[in-house]
Amino acid sequence: MRIATITNWAYSATVCLTIASGIVMLMASNADNTERQAVEQRQTFDQLTDEVEADAWSLSDLARLYVVAKDPEVLKSYRLKETSLNKIEFRLSKLKDNGASGEELALLHEGLQIVDALQDEQKVAFDSVERGDDKEAIALLYGKIYEQELDRAQERIDHFRQMLDTRARGAIVDATKASRTLRTLSEVMVGLTALLFLFVLGFILKRRVLQPVVRLSDVVHRLASQDYAVETPNFNQIDEIGDMAQAIRIFRENGLARQQLERERDANWAIRELLARMTQRLQGCESFADVINVAELFAPNIAPGVAGRLYILDREPWQMRCVAQWLSPQGSSEPFHPDECWAVRRGQSHPPVQGEPDIICYHLPDSCQEHTLCIPLIAQGEAIGLLSFQNINDDITYSRGYLELMAEALGLALANQRLRDALLEKALYDPLTGLRNRHHLEDIMGTQMSQAIRNKKPISCLMIDIDHFKGINDRFGHEVGDGVIKSVASIIQRVVRDGGMAFRYGGEEFLVLLPNMDEEAANRCATVIFNGVREMPLRFGGVDVGHVDVSIGVASFPEHVQSDNLLRAADVALYRAKELGRSRIVNFGMLEAG
């Protein structure tokens, strides 16, 4: 606002104050009128009630005098006084609603009713005199009841005057107070009118010239030192100072934009370093758990504030299973079918362009579908997992490429881990039966024996051989022989699943390690396996093989052997079982006893 405009506003304010001061003076005068009206009303009511009171007593005295003396002049005076009293009552009836309260009017009305009732009594006494019944007239006007009614009328009128006096005094006090207040306000307004010009002069020189110049000078000094965090003063007035403030504001905004670009550049470098470090850590992972830990650690730092989940594609059953999540993403982490995610369907990030209308992935909750990003983990041309991000907004759109790089690194790490696990499984597990193979036995045997010695717990070993297996192969063929081996392996695996470990030792031989089982428990386990194999029906491709038997050798530590020859003792027991005719269980302890 220009200085000329301020001056015009000050002139307008002066005029308004002057008018307001005049209005307040009129209001003060009106308060004085109210005070005068209250005094006049009080005087009017006092005068009329005094006349009513005096006339009531005069009528009573004239009536009593007439019933005693029967003087016609007295009756004539009574009639004149009665007419005067009626006129006064009529005047009171016209004045009774002139500011009087309901309680005051009730007292006045009751007093006038009593006076009217006394007049009726007086007329009854006059009728008695005309009938010649002087005693009744005298008893009526000089009786106790008549005196009480006369006193009651006096009391009602006096009470009315007291209440009138109280109200009149209150009205006078209120009117006086209002008048003083309004006069004081009027004087204050007059003083404000006088001070306004001094205020305008000080405002123009100090507030509109000196202070803005000082503030702008401080801002310019801080901007010159590249302190763009300083807040520029908001001078929107259309004058020279406003033009300077606008120029400084534009300069600051340009500086802030340059700083933002520098911060984004630094953030990009930091994210690139994190991606490089994550890639290095993924290369050193030796299990799926390692990959998941790396993802949970680096993902929140590569995209701060972005919640997400990591899914792995399971083939049996065919589903996406959540294995990691960070920053509390919305919705359920339950598995879902891969077709519910458009990113997995398309083999590309979805949606391709953030913020534009597109098909929403069905596995996401409705509350966050507009701010999500799904990136498939691709390896060798097929999806093996999924990264699902939430809270994607315009501020982190620039980092979308980094999220895709992170998905690429995780996909490669998961694919390598799957390949590693597949190779490890082929190296350690028998492909026909799914049992651990002999190479796996050496490491596990050393570990289990060490734990048994350290914890002073028993451990047992079963050596199992399918009886007459060569005859089965020669008679029915190798395919049926493989089926027999798989069937026997399934029986062994089912029996020892919760309490031991089963191995395919070679050909038709199997080995079972039973940690924490002594000789008696091992014999029970061997018996269950022996009976399970014998009772198992064997039929392959329409060929009825019948039933097969197994020979089992049992050895236990520390009952039978030392730690370094448990397998040998079980093998000796198995050999003895074959010598005795096969299809039996032989315990190494039986050999020692023999």
Side-chain angles (χ1 to χ4, degrees):
M1 186 182 297
R2 297 187 179 275
I3 296 176
T5 306
I6 297 175
T7 305
N8 293 335
W9 276 103
Y11 175 75
S12 301
T14 303
V15 173
C16 292
L17 284 173
T18 303
I19 295 173
S21 177
I23 294 174
V24 172
M25 289 294 293
L26 291 176
M27 293 173 64
S29 176
N30 184 53
D32 293 339
N33 292 334
T34 302
E35 181 180 354
R36 286 194 294 272
Q37 289 175 1
V39 173
E40 290 175 357
Q41 184 191 54
R42 175 184 176 185
Q43 291 176 351
T44 301
F45 275 106
D46 280 346
Q47 180 181 357
L48 292 177
T49 52
D50 286 342
E51 292 179 2
V52 168
E53 183 180 2
D55 288 347
W57 283 99
S58 297
L59 281 176
S60 181
D61 291 340
L62 290 173
R64 288 175 173 177
L65 180 60
Y66 174 74
V67 298
V68 173
K70 300 182 184 61
D71 185 358
E73 292 297 329
V74 175
L75 182 59
K76 183 178 180 180
S77 299
Y78 177 86
R79 300 297 183 191
L80 293 174
K81 184 63 70 176
E82 183 182 21
T83 302
S84 175
L85 179 60
N86 290 336
K87 291 180 179 180
I88 294 171
E89 289 181 354
F90 179 76
R91 289 179 63 190
L92 279 174
S93 66
K94 295 298 182 183
L95 294 173
K96 66 182 180 179
D97 60 347
N98 189 18
S101 65
E103 187 178 0
E104 294 173 357
L105 293 176
L107 288 171
L108 178 60
H109 180 68
E110 185 178 356
L112 293 178
Q113 283 183 337
I114 295 172
V115 171
D116 292 340
L118 290 174
Q119 287 182 282
D120 293 339
E121 293 291 330
Q122 293 165 6
K123 290 178 182 179
V124 172
F126 291 164
D127 292 340
S128 298
V129 170
E130 290 178 1
R131 292 195 307 268
D133 193 355
D134 296 342
K135 291 183 179 181
E136 182 181 356
I138 292 172
L140 188 61
L141 296 181
Y142 285 92
K144 184 176 181 181
I145 295 176
Y146 184 86
E147 291 290 341
Q148 289 177 349
E149 290 298 312
L150 192 61
D151 291 338
R152 197 157 68 91
Q154 174 78 37
E155 186 268 333
R156 293 295 184 272
I157 293 174
D158 289 343
H159 192 188
F160 167 74
R161 283 201 293 265
Q162 290 176 2
M163 293 185 68
L164 183 65
D165 290 343
T166 301
R167 182 171 59 80
R169 284 195 298 271
I172 292 171
V173 170
D174 293 340
T176 301
K177 184 184 298 184
S179 177
R180 289 177 180 174
T181 302
L182 292 172
R183 290 181 186 279
T184 302
L185 181 60
S186 175
E187 293 171 357
V188 170
M189 288 184 177
V190 172
L192 289 176
T193 304
L195 293 174
L196 183 59
F197 287 102
L198 296 177
F199 171 76
V200 171
L201 182 60
F203 178 80
I204 293 173
L205 293 178
K206 183 178 180 181
R207 304 284 298 180
R208 296 305 302 272
V209 178
L210 182 60
Q211 287 189 359
V213 169
V214 172
R215 291 186 62 186
L216 290 175
S217 176
D218 179 65
V219 171
V220 169
H221 179 73
R222 293 180 64 179
L223 291 177
S225 61
Q226 296 187 351
D227 181 11
Y228 298 107
V230 61
E231 292 291 335
T232 57
N234 190 20
F235 297 146
N236 296 322
Q237 60 266 29
I238 306 175
D239 58 9
E240 297 76 9
I241 294 177
D243 295 340
M244 293 172 59
Q246 179 66 15
I248 293 173
R249 191 178 303 115
I250 294 173
F251 182 77
R252 174 180 176 270
E253 290 174 356
N254 291 336
L256 288 174
R258 186 170 64 253
Q259 282 188 342
Q260 178 66 22
L261 291 175
E262 293 175 353
R263 283 195 295 268
E264 290 179 1
R265 181 196 62 195
D266 296 339
N268 285 338
W269 280 110
I271 292 175
R272 291 177 184 178
E273 291 179 357
L274 283 173
L275 280 170
R277 193 183 311 160
M278 185 187 76
T279 303
Q280 292 174 355
R281 301 302 179 268
L282 289 174
Q283 291 174 354
C285 291
E286 295 185 354
S287 65
F288 278 103
D290 290 343
V291 176
I292 293 170
N293 290 335
V294 170
E296 289 180 332
L297 175 64
F298 282 91
N301 294 285
I302 293 175
V306 178
R309 290 190 176 98
L310 171 62
Y311 294 88
I312 290 180
L313 178 61
D314 291 334
R315 300 189 180 278
E316 293 183 2
W318 186 259
Q319 64 181 10
M320 283 291 181
R321 175 171 54 88
C322 179
V323 295
Q325 61 182 7
W326 51 91
L327 301 183
S328 303
Q330 300 181 36
S332 173
S333 60
E334 293 296 320
F336 61 88
H337 195 276
D339 288 344
E340 295 184 23
C341 181
W342 278 91
V344 177
R345 286 189 186 186
R346 299 171 60 244
Q348 298 176 355
S349 301
H350 188 82
V353 180
Q354 206 68 34
E356 295 187 1
D358 208 328
I359 298 295
I360 303 301
C361 293
Y362 307 125
H363 63 93
L364 297 172
D366 296 337
S367 59
C368 65
Q369 287 188 348
E370 296 181 358
H371 307 286
T372 59
L373 175 65
C374 292
I375 306 175
L377 307 183
I378 305 296
Q380 298 177 353
E382 63 178 17
I384 62 171
L386 173 69
L387 274 177
S388 178
F389 297 101
Q390 298 179 10
N391 305 330
I392 300 293
N393 52 49
D394 295 338
D395 295 337
I396 58 174
T397 301
Y398 70 92
S399 64
R400 177 169 178 156
Y402 297 130
L403 298 180
E404 293 177 347
L405 288 174
M406 180 173 64
E408 182 179 347
L410 285 172
L412 182 59
L414 290 173
N416 291 337
Q417 197 59 49
R418 280 193 173 183
L419 179 59
R420 177 191 180 97
D421 289 350
L423 293 175
L424 185 62
E425 182 175 358
K426 289 182 179 180
L428 299 180
Y429 289 86
D430 175 54
L432 178 63
T433 63
L435 301 180
R436 296 174 176 87
N437 60 25
R438 190 167 183 173
H439 301 289
H440 204 179
L441 174 62
E442 297 177 1
D443 295 335
I444 293 180
M445 188 65 190
T447 303
Q448 293 297 325
M449 288 301 302
S450 298
Q451 290 181 355
I453 295 171
R454 182 171 58 254
N455 299 327
K456 296 181 180 180
K457 297 289 185 179
I459 182 172
S460 298
C461 177
L462 309 181
M463 291 290 287
I464 305 170
D465 183 77
I466 302 175
D467 294 336
H468 307 293
F469 181 74
K470 184 177 184 303
I472 296 174
N473 271 341
D474 294 341
R475 181 179 178 186
F476 300 105
H478 289 284
E479 290 185 3
V480 173
D482 289 344
V484 171
I485 290 175
K486 290 175 64 176
S487 299
V488 173
S490 65
I491 294 293
I492 296 172
Q493 181 65 22
R494 183 172 67 249
V495 173
V496 304
R497 177 180 292 113
D498 297 330
M501 292 170 284
F503 301 82
R504 186 180 182 189
Y505 197 66
E508 69 275 16
E509 288 188 336
F510 302 90
L511 184 144
V512 175
L513 281 181
L514 300 173
N516 301 321
M517 287 193 185
D518 56 11
E519 178 183 2
E520 182 179 356
N523 285 330
R524 287 198 300 268
C525 181
T527 302
V528 173
I529 294 173
F530 182 86
N531 293 332
V533 173
R534 168 168 286 187
E535 296 170 0
M536 176 180 60
L538 296 175
R539 187 178 184 84
F540 303 99
V543 178
D544 188 2
V545 180
H547 77 275
V548 298
D549 289 320
V550 292
S551 300
I552 303 177
V554 181
S556 299
F557 169 86
E559 290 95 336
H560 305 149
V561 296
Q562 298 301 315
S563 61
D564 57 347
N565 55 5
L566 179 63
L567 297 183
R568 183 182 176 187
D571 190 47
V572 170
L574 175 62
Y575 183 77
R576 182 59 178 166
K578 291 180 179 181
E579 287 183 341
L580 294 176
R582 295 185 173 85
S583 186
R584 67 190 65 231
I585 301 172
V586 174
N587 193 298
F588 189 79
M590 298 167 55
L591 302 181
E592 292 180 334

